[in-house]
Amino acid sequence: MSSTAGTRTGRRHRVREEALAEILRTARRLLVEEGPGAVTLRAIAREMGMTAPGLYRYYAGHRDLIQALTSALYDELATALAAARDRHPSAEPGRQLREAGRELRRWALAHPNEFTLLFAKPVTDADTTPGTVAHDSSWRFGGVILGLMVRLWRGGTIHPPADLDSAWVTQLEEVREHLSGEPVPLEVIYVFVASWARLYGTVAVEVFGHLDFALTDPEPLFEHTLDDILTALGDTAD
């Protein structure tokens, strides 16, 4: 390939990447301002001064667009949680997990519509099942939390249930597949999943306004929940 042809190829690539980034910025703005139902190829084309068919050069359809947006948001959230985690030394996974949990709440409250798209799945195209573009990104996000829980498990202070219902086994084995060969017992993974459910649930009810009937400031409840989670995981560092 000649240097001129290589330059043209590089320029086309940059132009395409810039267009993709602008499309996602526009999609996110529509999500924030008007909700998930407003994120359509036609609406984005209108906002960008393009024709709807013109967008098909970048995304084959609505599902591809939503998958790209979902993936980008999970990556942003994973980066935010990792940065919060790294504010404490790696030798203190309990403190790191506490800070990552707090960052999840901060991000969710600052970006309620984005949080809704990721975790409430108001549109089916935002799913993260295996084989989707968003699947790997969702696990990069989950890996920040799960990785810290694994490190706490290595400390040997988690007390899992003595008996695990057989109905859990297959499901928990799928979680273990994402642990890069770590021999974590399924009973311990159950503790991980139960801890995540409490963390997510406490954040979600606040973001969705389901605590407004009782609490004007849900933060103390959130902190109490973090205390309980860290205790269940064998670490009470403040």
Side-chain angles (χ1 to χ4, degrees):
M1 180 184 293
S2 69
S3 60
T4 301
T7 300
R8 286 198 298 267
T9 300
R11 185 181 302 115
R12 284 196 297 269
H13 177 75
R14 287 194 301 274
V15 169
R16 180 175 178 81
E17 290 301 307
E18 290 168 2
L20 288 168
E22 184 179 358
I23 290 168
L24 289 184
R25 285 194 298 270
T26 304
R28 184 171 185 172
R29 180 168 57 79
L30 289 170
L31 171 68
V32 170
E33 295 177 355
E34 302 181 39
V39 185
T40 66
L41 291 172
R42 185 176 299 277
I44 292 170
R46 182 177 63 248
E47 292 290 316
M48 294 178 61
M50 299 173 61
T51 63
L55 281 183
Y56 286 101
R57 297 199 304 271
Y58 303 98
Y59 293 105
H62 183 264
R63 181 173 178 78
D64 284 355
L65 169 66
I66 295 298
Q67 281 288 305
L69 179 59
T70 301
S71 181
L73 291 174
Y74 269 123
D75 283 341
E76 177 182 310
L77 180 53
T79 298
L81 263 60
R85 174 197 65 198
D86 294 343
R87 286 197 282 269
H88 291 287
S90 59
E92 300 180 3
R95 290 182 182 274
Q96 289 186 316
L97 181 57
R98 185 181 294 274
E99 195 59 41
R102 288 169 175 161
E103 183 60 30
L104 173 64
R105 176 175 179 263
R106 284 191 288 264
W107 190 92
L109 292 174
H111 306 95
N113 283 352
E114 292 94 325
F115 180 84
T116 298
L117 180 70
L118 296 184
F119 296 103
K121 301 291 189 294
V123 292
T124 57
D125 287 341
D127 73 276
T128 56
T129 53
T132 61
V133 171
H135 178 261
D136 289 347
S137 294
S138 71
W139 273 101
R140 280 193 290 275
F141 150 72
V144 178
I145 299 293
L146 198 57
L148 291 169
M149 291 182 179
V150 168
R151 285 167 53 202
L152 286 169
W153 162 71
R154 290 182 189 143
T157 54
I158 294 177
H159 301 291
D163 297 309
L164 191 66
D165 191 299
S166 60
W168 285 92
V169 172
T170 300
Q171 300 176 77
L172 297 179
E173 284 177 342
E174 292 179 4
V175 177
R176 187 159 59 182
E177 289 178 4
H178 291 275
L179 297 181
S180 302
E182 289 278 0
V184 183
L186 294 181
E187 292 82 2
V188 173
I189 294 179
Y190 169 84
V191 176
F192 293 174
V193 172
S195 297
W196 162 247
R198 288 202 63 188
L199 178 62
Y200 163 72
T202 305
V203 171
V205 293
E206 181 178 2
V207 171
F208 299 145
H210 297 319
L211 291 174
D212 293 353
F213 76 98
L215 301 175
T216 57
D217 179 14
E219 185 172 5
L221 174 62
F222 176 79
E223 290 294 325
H224 179 75
T225 300
L226 273 181
D227 288 341
D228 283 353
I229 290 171
L230 268 296
T231 298
L233 294 170
D235 191 294
T236 57
D238 191 0

